[in-house]
Amino acid sequence: MNDMTPIAEKSAALLPDGQTVTEVKHYTDRLFSFRLTRPQSLRFRSGEFVMIGLMGEPVGDKPARPILRAYSIASPSWDEELEFYSIKVPDGPLTSKLQKIKVGDQVILKTKPVGTLVVDALLPGKRLYMLATGTGIAPFASLIRDPEVYEKFDQVILTHTCRENAELTYGKELVENLRNDPLIGEMVEGKLIYYPTTTREQSDNMGRVTDKIRSGEIFAEIGVPAFNAEEDRVMICGSMGLNIEIKELLEAAGMEEGANSKPGHFVVEKAFVGEPENA
């Protein structure tokens, strides 16, 4: 007799708070993405993050405990599954195990989404910048696939800075597929600008994005004016250094940080910085 139990139900039965891996894709020896079943009860806004993890090993006479970390949901709020994008840390408590998962395995998922990289935390504006380094592109992978973003902004500018060209693959494939997407492709056309940069390997846009902002190079290439509080809104998700530099540049332009309780000109995802394994 065939087992017709839905995958999501089976996953929940096998491990408390467990969801089943439906896809794993490795991009480099440092980066991979994976998809999980989505519990019916989970509601989130594009750009938010959740706690995910795996069971650790028993220590002495102490039972195994879950190892959990904050991960931005890379899939949009309408997706039937959940996508995540992660770095691999060889001796990391979580990612040393997580990078070995396969389709059918279980991953712990806590269904309480939070985060500041949401459209609700920003004042209305003309242009929306999403500035990311490394796996900090994950929340923006969710947002650029959300129709609400294109309904609220005339232009959406995604910058992604990595050390090498291969590390840009996830973002490049995402943007390319989005332009041909039957659901949102027409909304994206003419509105989404993708600006990848590398810092160690030669590329078309080599250099730190903060340097390109200071010099005005990025604005000249895109064809827009420099940051201004009246028209621009900015989301930042990257290394501590990037976050601090960008925040200083925005405040110098007269822009104020926003929050869910008080929308502003820009928002910063602080949880990403606090999780070195996923930075």
Side-chain angles (χ1 to χ4, degrees), residues 142-238:
S142 173
L143 284 156
I144 65 170
R145 287 184 274 187
D146 193 322
E148 182 185 13
V149 170
Y150 302 96
E151 291 167 358
K152 291 192 172 184
F153 296 94
D154 295 337
Q155 281 186 310
V156 178
I157 301 163
L158 170 65
T159 78
H160 188 204
T161 301
C162 295
R163 299 179 306 175
E164 301 169 356
N165 285 294
E167 295 173 345
L168 294 169
T169 303
Y170 176 80
K172 285 184 176 180
E173 289 184 352
L174 178 68
V175 171
E176 185 178 329
N177 293 335
L178 193 57
R179 298 191 195 282
N180 301 316
D181 188 275
L183 176 67
I184 200 174
E186 288 187 7
M187 297 184 75
V188 171
E189 188 65 34
K191 282 196 169 187
L192 177 63
I193 296 172
Y194 174 55
Y195 192 86
T197 70
T198 56
T199 57
R200 295 189 186 179
E201 186 178 10
Q202 191 64 42
S203 67
D204 292 339
N205 294 317
M206 189 173 183
R208 300 173 71 244
V209 72
T210 46
D211 293 338
K212 292 179 179 292
I213 291 171
R214 283 196 180 89
S215 69
E217 180 182 342
I218 187 172
F219 305 114
E221 290 188 12
I222 292 173
V224 297
F227 288 141
N228 69 86
E230 188 171 329
E231 296 183 322
D232 296 326
R233 302 295 173 257
V234 184
M235 293 178 163
I236 313 162
C237 189

Side-chain angles (χ1 to χ4, degrees), residues 25-166:
K25 186 172 182 179
H26 294 269
Y27 294 90
T28 71
D29 59 358
R30 296 183 67 251
L31 298 166
F32 72 110
S33 67
F34 57 97
R35 294 177 68 87
L36 304 177
T37 52
R38 175 177 177 173
Q40 291 185 351
S41 61
L42 177 60
R43 298 288 181 271
F44 69 94
R45 295 175 295 175
S46 296
E48 291 187 315
F49 66 86
V50 289
M51 301 297 290
I52 66 172
L54 296 169
M55 292 301 296
E57 301 298 328
V59 179
D61 57 354
K62 295 181 179 179
R65 299 182 63 181
I67 303 171
L68 301 172
R69 295 288 185 273
Y71 269 75
S72 291
I73 303 172
S75 47
S77 58
W78 50 262
D79 202 321
E80 294 180 353
E81 294 185 336
L82 299 173
E83 181 179 321
F84 298 93
Y85 184 48
S86 178
I87 195 169
K88 306 174 186 178
V89 180
D91 56 352
L94 177 59
T95 57
S96 61
K97 300 175 181 293
L98 195 62
Q99 64 184 284
K100 298 174 184 176
I101 58 172
K102 295 179 175 60
V103 172
D105 287 348
Q106 293 264 292
V107 173
I108 300 168
L109 172 79
K110 297 295 184 180
T111 55
K112 185 180 179 182
V114 291
T116 56
L117 295 183
V118 292
V119 173
D120 295 342
L122 294 172
L123 294 167
K126 181 178 180 180
R127 282 179 292 273
L128 175 60
Y129 285 86
M130 301 176 182
L131 310 179
T133 59
T135 53
I137 194 176
F140 303 142
S142 173
L143 284 156
I144 65 170
R145 287 184 274 187
D146 193 322
E148 182 185 13
V149 170
Y150 302 96
E151 291 167 358
K152 291 192 172 184
F153 296 94
D154 295 337
Q155 281 186 310
V156 178
I157 301 163
L158 170 65
T159 78
H160 188 204
T161 301
C162 295
R163 299 179 306 175
E164 301 169 356
N165 285 294

